[in-house]
Amino acid sequence: MQVLDGKALAQAIKEELKEEVDAIRQAAGKIPHLAAVLIGENPASQVYVRNKVSSCEEVGFRSSLIRRPESITQSELLAIVTELNEDPDVDGFIVQLPLPKHIDEDAVNLAIDPRKDVDGFTPVNIGRMTLGLDAYLPATPNGIMVMLERYGIETSGKEVVVLGRSNIVGTPMTVLLSRKSSPGNATVTLCHSRTRDLKSHTLRADIIVAAIGIPEMVTADMVKEGAVIIDVGINRVDDASRNRGYRLAGDADYAGLKHKVSAMTPVPGGVGPMTVVSLLMNTLQASKRRG
Ligand code: NAD
């Protein structure tokens, strides 16, 4: 089985980005600047944002972290979004999800200027992506597309089953994989919590993209010999043998699948680092556009 090593691939792409930023610096051009908004103390969100900020530093971008407590009101958060929209110094920004329950995530998303939406979550970017126009592509699905391309995994004419219909992963993944491009041109089935007889779908799949959030749900009996597994899930599973009291598990049963499939992403070190790199690529694009 080929391990689709997102960590190594992300590192290689970061080197390329760094070279580009060095060239911009030498030409006295504008250094890309990403801002991240982190609300509350969600431990996983803190890790994700820390990774995003430190990755910016690694490639020579500027980064800003705006932290606010869980108690922030919706109007206070919307005011921060407006400020970032208007700040000429900021090329792109993200508001880390999930937000506290009293805040309407849709309202926050709708307030983000699409030109600075480097997460690719706003209606303008989702719409442009769907029409095949130039857009900031959602970071995780785009990271997966880059991974498929760089690893030379053929998608044209293949049966792809996407598990999960979230706006940030599953649904845009189906759009990107089915459109007329490379990678793309796949026949895509989207499965979700109401899908009947999930196994009948997954057993047909040449490629499975699992974005469900249930640890190790995709097992060897559900997958055909030689399939490719892209595991998006990041789940904390209690593990008393670890110092921190948990381990990270994907949505696929890596140990059970590794003798049956032809290629698979590990968790951690698979899709996660590709998501971060995709965000950096969008930020560089935003910075170039702003000139
Ligand atoms: P979500 O958590 O919003 O929704 C889960 C989806 O799974 C829903 O669409 C639901 O219909 C589907 N689902 C639930 N039970 C199912 C079942 N039995 N069979 C088929 N489908 C089922 O989705 P999300 O935000 O895309 O997150 C999914 C996972 O991916 C989580 O573990 C999350 O932490 C992880 N994630 C990872 C990255 C990354 O960069 N690696 C990025 C985003 C999300």
Side-chain angles (χ1 to χ4, degrees):
M1 181 199 75
Q2 182 179 30
V3 178
L4 303 174
D5 186 342
K7 195 173 172 195
L9 178 54
Q11 200 52 46
I13 297 173
K14 279 188 205 165
E15 299 298 331
E16 295 167 16
L17 289 170
K18 189 171 181 318
E19 274 176 30
E20 209 170 332
V21 177
D22 285 345
I24 292 171
R25 184 172 288 110
Q26 270 163 24
K30 186 178 180 314
I31 302 299
H33 182 187
L34 174 75
V37 181
L38 175 60
I39 307 298
E41 304 293 330
N42 180 316
S45 293
Q46 290 185 48
V47 173
Y48 298 150
V49 169
R50 210 182 307 134
N51 280 343
K52 290 169 186 174
V53 169
S54 67
S55 295
C56 280
E57 283 160 16
E58 253 181 85
V59 299
F61 286 8
R62 291 172 58 208
S63 64
S64 307
L65 175 58
I66 299 160
R67 291 198 69 163
R68 293 291 182 273
E70 187 97 15
S71 57
I72 190 168
T73 65
Q74 180 155 319
S75 56
E76 283 166 342
L77 180 53
L78 288 172
I80 293 173
V81 168
T82 304
E83 220 172 279
L84 290 168
N85 282 341
E86 289 168 0
D87 187 342
D89 207 34
V90 170
D91 295 306
F93 66 96
I94 58 160
V95 179
Q96 183 66 44
L97 302 177
L99 293 171
K101 290 207 167 28
H102 64 277
I103 292 180
D104 177 358
E105 283 186 356
D106 287 339
V108 174
N109 188 34
L110 286 168
I112 295 172
D113 183 339
R115 290 168 300 187
K116 293 193 175 186
D117 167 31
V118 285
D119 250 340
F121 292 166
T122 59
V124 168
N125 282 311
I126 297 282
R128 292 185 65 93
M129 172 191 72
T130 307
L131 294 173
L133 300 171
D134 201 22
Y136 296 118
L137 300 176
T140 300
N142 188 41
I144 293 170
M145 296 298 275
V146 172
M147 180 179 243
L148 292 169
E149 187 181 18
R150 296 266 186 139
Y151 269 101
I153 293 173
E154 184 59 75
T155 57
S156 181
K158 303 287 181 183
E159 292 284 339
V160 178
V161 170
V162 176
L163 305 178
R165 58 182 159 191
S166 73
N167 288 339
I168 61 171
V169 186
T171 297
M173 194 74 251
T174 65
V175 174
L176 292 176
L177 281 167
S178 57
R179 73 184 184 177
K180 199 171 179 179
S181 64
S182 179
N185 286 317
T187 304
V188 186
T189 304
L190 175 59
C191 297
H192 46 75
S193 53
R194 301 290 176 93
T195 297
R196 267 186 275 163
D197 194 6
L198 190 65
K199 199 170 156 179
S200 69
H201 297 284
T202 54
L203 276 173
R204 281 190 298 109
D206 301 306
I207 302 172
I208 295 175
V209 180
I212 321 162
I214 303 177
E216 292 157 1
M217 199 194 108
V218 180
T219 47
D221 60 307
M222 295 169 68
V223 169
K224 80 172 177 191
E225 197 88 34
V228 173
I229 311 286
I230 306 294
D231 189 350
V232 183
I234 304 176
N235 308 292
R236 290 184 177 206
V237 178
D238 290 342
D239 185 342
S241 71
R242 309 279 174 112
N243 282 343
R244 56 189 182 183
Y246 68 87
R247 67 182 170 89
L248 289 181
D251 288 348
D253 172 20
Y254 193 90
L257 284 161
K258 67 180 178 194
H259 301 295
K260 192 165 187 188
V261 301
S262 60
M264 181 160 48
T265 57
V267 177
V271 174
M274 294 306 296
T275 297
V276 177
V277 140
S278 176
L279 178 68
L280 297 178
M281 294 191 301
N282 278 349
T283 306
L284 179 61
Q285 195 186 333
S287 175
K288 283 182 178 168
R289 279 207 185 129
R290 288 161 53 78

